[in-house]
Amino acid sequence: MARKNYSDEFRRQAVDLYESTPDATLRGIAADLGVSRGTLADWVKTFGTGSTTMLPAERTTSGARPAATETAAVRIARLEAENARLRAEKVKVETERDILRKAAKYFAGGDELVNRFQFVADHQHAYEVKRLCAAVQVARSSFYAWVEAGPARAERAAADAELAERIRTVQDPKQGGDRAYGAPRVTAELNDGVPVADRVNHKRVARVMRAHSLAGIRLRRRVKTTVPEPADTKYPDLLKRDFTAEAPNQRYVGDITYLPLPEGRNLYLATVIDCFSRKLAGWQVADHMRTQLVEDALKAACRDRGSLAGAVFHSDHGAVYTSKSYAKLCGQLGVTQSMGAVGTSADNAMAESFNATLKRELLDGTATFTDETSCRRHVFRWATRYNTRRRHSWCGHQSPSTYEAHRATTLPTAA
């Protein structure tokens, strides 16, 4: 469900994200945050500092094109390098040909059949096709059938190359894409709003991504964030690993995860996730794991939903969730607490999966975030984009906000 009212904190964070992002545009940042370009522009006028981070290429003052001519010395050096490359290729081709002349069965020891066909095609003007086929042990009829299919193969290769470029665009953040998308989400993005006859099959997308070394991103390292407190209150497991809901604002799960910084330091993220749409209804980042962190996340969810009365919130047995202060807040908001078994991550698998996804996509293989400020900005942008634009497999490869808009005409209060 679209947000209508934005806090000053959200507006300032949006302006800070725009001003600190290299090569940022109002349209791109606004799309990520789920607001209009005009709205973001107004926020920039009100809260902006007037400075933006620019790439080195943007700071050049001259618009002149590079000189089209080259000096004699440069031309000679270029031609010598080209000649050296051509000589090396010539030596390579001659060496391969000599080897094949000495060993007629070179390709018969396990090479793919297409390699032998290609060898015959490359040398058919120097030798009879019959002799070449006999040397590499292929039938002439099979070779001619392969030659006849050449145009179709070239057409498929060109189509695959064109599809690979479209996939790169889908994965390119500078063009509004998402570097973390794998084959399923890429397929959904490519087929969004496209006529059925023009849609691409997910198996073909996966094959082309493998062939062109295109893939999503993956991860490592754990820090213990669940610190049980035996003296505090425990609650029964009301979900029993059933992370589904019939409507929004009925069941939520949450957890705390670390956000690694240099020198062994961490920030911590607390989440409140709706089981119906997987929407991140509330979240908070802090440099501590005190009860205030999870309380602020639950309050954020209450502001987003309007009310949490009657909802169930499921968590692990961390001390912050079993504290009297947190229980008091849940009572004030009308939230019923639920907890899985001690030491069993599967009982809160949905929240654990969310945490893994966030760090995998934000860290992109690196060990830590650059610094605290950068970490907060990246999490703010990703969390907002997660709700408004990022395609989720649970939602039929729609964003959580879009899924809720299509599946629920109104946002009911949990009963």
Side-chain angles (χ1 to χ4, degrees), residues 73-87:
V74 173
R75 179 179 175 81
I76 291 173
R78 179 175 60 79
L79 292 176
E80 287 179 348
E82 181 69 9
N83 286 336
R85 184 182 66 81
L86 293 174
R87 287 196 298 272

Side-chain angles (χ1 to χ4, degrees), residues 354-370:
F354 174 90
N355 293 340
T357 297
L358 179 144
K359 285 188 282 189
R360 180 178 66 248
E361 297 186 4
L362 284 182
L363 289 172
D364 193 7
T366 59
T368 66
F369 291 95
T370 305

Side-chain angles (χ1 to χ4, degrees), residues 95-114:
T95 301
E96 292 176 349
R97 184 178 60 192
D98 290 340
I99 291 174
L100 289 169
R101 282 175 175 173
K102 294 177 182 179
K105 297 183 180 181
Y106 179 79
F107 288 105
D111 286 347
E112 294 181 3
L113 186 62
V114 66

Side-chain angles (χ1 to χ4, degrees), residues 210-223:
R210 284 195 302 270
H212 290 79
S213 301
L214 301 171
I217 43 188
R218 306 167 178 139
L219 90 86
R220 298 155 195 105
R221 180 188 160 192
R222 290 182 67 87
V223 169

Side-chain angles (χ1 to χ4, degrees), residues 1 19 75 90 112 134 171 175 218 253 274 329 344:
M1 186 171 184
E19 292 184 341
R75 179 179 175 81
K90 180 174 182 293
E112 294 181 3
Q171 291 187 321
Q175 301 187 55
R218 306 167 178 139
V253 299
D274 195 313
L329 176 62
T344 306

